[in-house]
Amino acid sequence: MEKIAMKKKFRIKKSKPNRSFGGDLGINFILIFFGLFMAFPLVYAINSAFKPLDEIFIYPPRLFVRNPTMNNFQDLLVIMGKSWVPFTRYLFNTVFITSLGTAGHLLIASMGAYVLAKYEFPGGKAFFNLVVVALMFSGYVTAIPNYLLMSKIGWVDTYWAIIVPSFASPMGLFLMKQYMEGVPDVLIEAAKIDGAKEWRIFSRIVLPVVKPAWLTLMIFSVQGLWNTRASNFIYSEELKTLPYALQQILAGGIARAGVGSAVSLVMMTVPIAVFIIAESNILETMASSGIKD
Amino acid sequence: MSVLKSYIQIKKRNASISWKIAKKSKTYYLFLAPYATLFFLFYVVPVVVSVFLSFTYYNVLEPAEFIGFQNYINLILADDVFLIAVKNTFLIAVITGPIGYLAAFLFAWFINELPRYLKAFAVVIFYAPTISGQVYLIWSIIFSGDAYGYINAFLLNLGIINEPVLWLTNPQYMLTVVIIVTLWMSLGTGFLAFVAGLQGIDQSQYEAGYIDGIKNRWQELWYITLPNMKPMLLFGAVMTITQSFGVADVPMALTGFPSTDYATQTVVTHLIDYGSVRFEMGYAAAIATILFITMILCNKVIQAFLRRVGT
C-alpha cells in the first residue's frame, strides 16, 4: 500500500498517455542545449547595451557586464536631442509605416487567401501559383524597376512607396492560404445555410478560426517594416525612418560603439514586445472546431 | 482538319463554361481584387521588366540595348567567379536548407509538447536570432580574427592554438563559418509557421488516436500531425528554398564584400556586385533569372516529395 502511494507521489506527470519518459527527458535536454545556443544573441545584446566603453573593448572579451551603466542610453538621448529633425518624428514615421502597412497587409492578404483556399474559380489556382513563384525572384534586381514604377506614380519620397507594396507581399498571402485550407468546409456551409453573406463568413467565422495564422503574419510584417530603412525611396530628412536615423548615428564609428549597442537594444524592443504578445495569444488558442467531418 | 475543329470547339466550350462560372464567382474576384491589383503592379511588373532586362545591356544611365542571350552566354562561359558563386550557393543551400527545415520542424514539434508558459518562453528563445534583426553581426566579434575574438580568446587560453586564427579572412574557414551562422539563423519564418500550424490541429484527433492504439510519439507524428500540417510544411519548404538560395547578408557582413578569393561569393552577392556596384543591370538580371529558374525547379521536386508525407 505504502509502496503504491510512494510511486504515485514520485511519478512525474506525463503530458500525454503515449509518451515514454526517456523520450520526454531527451527532448527537454535537446531543447535546453540548443536553447542556450539560440538565446546567446539576446543575452549578448542586452549585456553590451549596459557595458561602459572600457568593458566593450576588454581583453579577454567578456559576455556578462560587470559594472552596468546607463551611460550608453544617456549618450543616445543627448545625440537624439541634438538632431536637426526632432527624434520623435523619426519614431512617428516608423510607427506610422509599420502599423498601417501591417494592418493593410493582414486585411488584403487574408481576403485574397480566403477565396483562394476555400473556393474554386477560374484563374484562382493559376494566380496562387504565380504568387508562390514570385516569392523566388531576388528583390535586389527588382529594386530598379520598382523605383522607376514609383517615380511614374509619383510616390518617391512619400510613405506610400513603402506602405502600399507591403500590402501585397506574397509571403503573407501564401501563409494565410495554407493555413485556411485547414478550416473545415462544414463550418462555412453551415454559416451559408444560416444565410450569412461571404463578407460575414470571412470576418466572423474564418478570421477567428485562423487567429494563429494572422498573428504569425503580424509578427513577420511588424518585424520587416520596423526594420525598413527605406533608403531607396525616401530622401527628405523629416520622412526618414528610425532605423535610417539610427544608422546615421552609428556612422560615427568606433567612439559610438557604446551608443551603438544601446541603439540595437532599443530597436529590438518593439518587435520583441509585439512578438511576445502575439505568440502568447497564438499559444492560447486550442483548436477544437467542435465539428467532426 | 476535323480533329483540329473539334479541338477548337471543345476549347471554346470550356472557355464559355469557365466564363459562366467566373460570372457566378463575382464575389470571389471582388475579394481577391485588392490583393491581385497591388500584386501585379508591385511584384509581377518589376519581375517581368527584370527578365526582359536580362536580354539587354543596361547600365542604368543609357537606354537598355537588346543583346539577346549574350548575358547568359557570358555568365556560363566567361565568368569564373560566377561558377565559384554557384558552387558556394549550392553547398550552402544543400547543407543549410534540409538541416534548417528539419530543425525548424523538430523544434516546433518538441516545443509544442511543453506546458503552456514554458512553451511561450521557448518559442521566444528559439526565435531570438531572427527577431533581433542584425544581431548576427555579433558573430563577427565571436569569430574575429584577432585575439579579441571570443573563439580565438577561448582557444588561446586553452592553449589549443598559439596564434589567432583568421576565421573570416582565411578562405580555408570562411565558408564553414558562413554555413554555421546561416544554420543558426535558419529557424525563422518556417519555425513560426510550424508553431502556428501545430496550434491549429484539432485536439480531438489525438484523443481518437489514443483510442485507435497509436503507440508512441513517432506514430502520432506520422499518422496525425504530419498529414494535418501538410499545407504548413509546403509553406516552410518554399520559404526555406528562398532563404537558403538567397544567402547574401551573412557572408557580406561577416567575411566582407567581396570576400577573400571570392571564397564566400554566393549567387546573390554576385548579383549585388553587378547590380549595385558595377551597375550592369542586364547582367545582374540574367543572374537573377537563372537563380529564379533554379529555385522553381527545386520547389517542384520538393512539392512532389511532400505529397507522399503521411501515406
Side-chain angles (χ1 to χ4, degrees), chain B:
Chain B
M1 246 352 244
S2 67
V3 177
L4 192 70
K5 225 177 200 173
S6 62
Y7 176 77
I8 290 172
Q9 229 160 23
I10 289 170
K11 277 279 152 195
K12 251 187 185 166
R13 212 181 44 206
N14 283 350
S16 84
I17 289 172
S18 25
W19 177 242
K20 266 183 200 148
I21 302 173
K23 266 209 248 169
K24 263 194 194 160
S25 8
K26 214 160 60 186
T27 335
Y28 307 152
Y29 289 109
L30 277 178
F31 264 77
L32 193 56
Y35 183 86
T37 319
L38 295 177
F39 174 71
F40 272 105
L41 193 57
F42 295 113
Y43 291 88
V44 177
V45 170
V47 168
V48 172
V49 171
S50 299
V51 172
F52 167 75
L53 283 180
S54 75
F55 297 103
T56 64
Y57 174 80
Y58 181 46
N59 58 12
V60 186
L61 296 174
E62 294 165 319
E65 181 192 333
F66 189 78
I67 54 169
F69 278 95
Q70 199 54 49
N71 282 329
Y72 293 93
I73 294 167
N74 288 350
L75 203 50
I76 290 161
L77 296 181
D79 191 343
D80 291 340
V81 180
F82 179 66
L83 296 181
I84 300 178
V86 167
K87 197 198 81 199
N88 287 340
T89 305
F90 266 102
L91 207 61
I92 294 174
V94 163
I95 296 174
T96 66
I99 296 181
Y101 183 66
L102 279 180
F105 182 79
L106 281 180
F107 284 128
W109 183 51
F110 287 167
I111 286 173
N112 199 46
E113 308 256 295
L114 296 174
R116 214 182 94 203
Y117 290 103
L118 213 55
K119 211 195 280 194
F121 180 71
V123 174
V124 174
I125 294 293
F126 277 81
Y127 194 60
T130 316
I131 194 88
S132 25
Q134 295 205 308
V135 101
Y136 60 84
L137 290 177
I138 63 162
W139 288 92
S140 61
I141 302 164
I142 295 172
F143 280 109
S144 174
D146 50 25
Y148 289 90
Y150 282 51
I151 288 192
N152 276 335
F154 182 70
L155 293 177
L156 282 172
N157 269 350
L158 288 184
I160 294 174
I161 50 174
N162 295 323
E163 52 185 24
V165 176
L166 296 169
W167 300 106
L168 300 174
T169 34
N170 184 343
Q172 213 182 329
Y173 307 111
M174 284 156 66
L175 198 61
T176 318
V177 171
V178 167
I179 288 176
I180 291 173
V181 178
T182 311
L183 266 180
W184 174 78
M185 291 185 61
S186 59
L187 286 191
T189 326
F191 172 69
L192 271 201
F194 293 153
V195 169
L198 286 168
Q199 219 54 38
I201 299 175
D202 195 338
Q203 293 300 313
S204 60
Q205 289 193 18
Y206 289 114
E207 284 151 28
Y210 304 145
I211 297 164
D212 289 347
I214 281 190
K215 282 194 211 73
N216 51 41
R217 68 183 90 223
W218 304 105
Q219 279 187 354
E220 188 180 288
L221 176 71
W222 186 253
Y223 290 113
I224 302 177
T225 310
L226 284 182
N228 271 302
M229 287 280 287
K230 249 186 198 175
M232 280 296 133
L233 289 177
L234 199 71
F235 174 79
V238 172
M239 294 318 291
T240 306
I241 294 170
T242 56
Q243 279 162 8
S244 54
F245 278 99
V247 169
D249 290 346
V250 172
M252 277 163 67
L254 292 184
T255 58
F257 176 60
S259 48
T260 321
D261 284 351
Y262 294 109
T264 57
Q265 186 89 334
T266 66
V267 173
V268 176
T269 59
H270 200 57
L271 184 162
I272 295 171
D273 186 7
Y274 278 93
S276 25
V277 179
R278 306 182 202 209
F279 284 104
E280 290 190 28
M281 281 314 291
Y283 200 70
I287 300 174
T289 309
I290 288 186
L291 184 66
F292 185 48
I293 293 166
T294 317
M295 288 210 257
I296 292 173
L297 291 178
C298 188
N299 183 33
K300 282 267 176 292
V301 172
I302 288 174
Q303 284 200 11
F305 186 72
L306 279 177
R307 236 169 256 136
R308 288 167 43 190
V309 161
T311 51

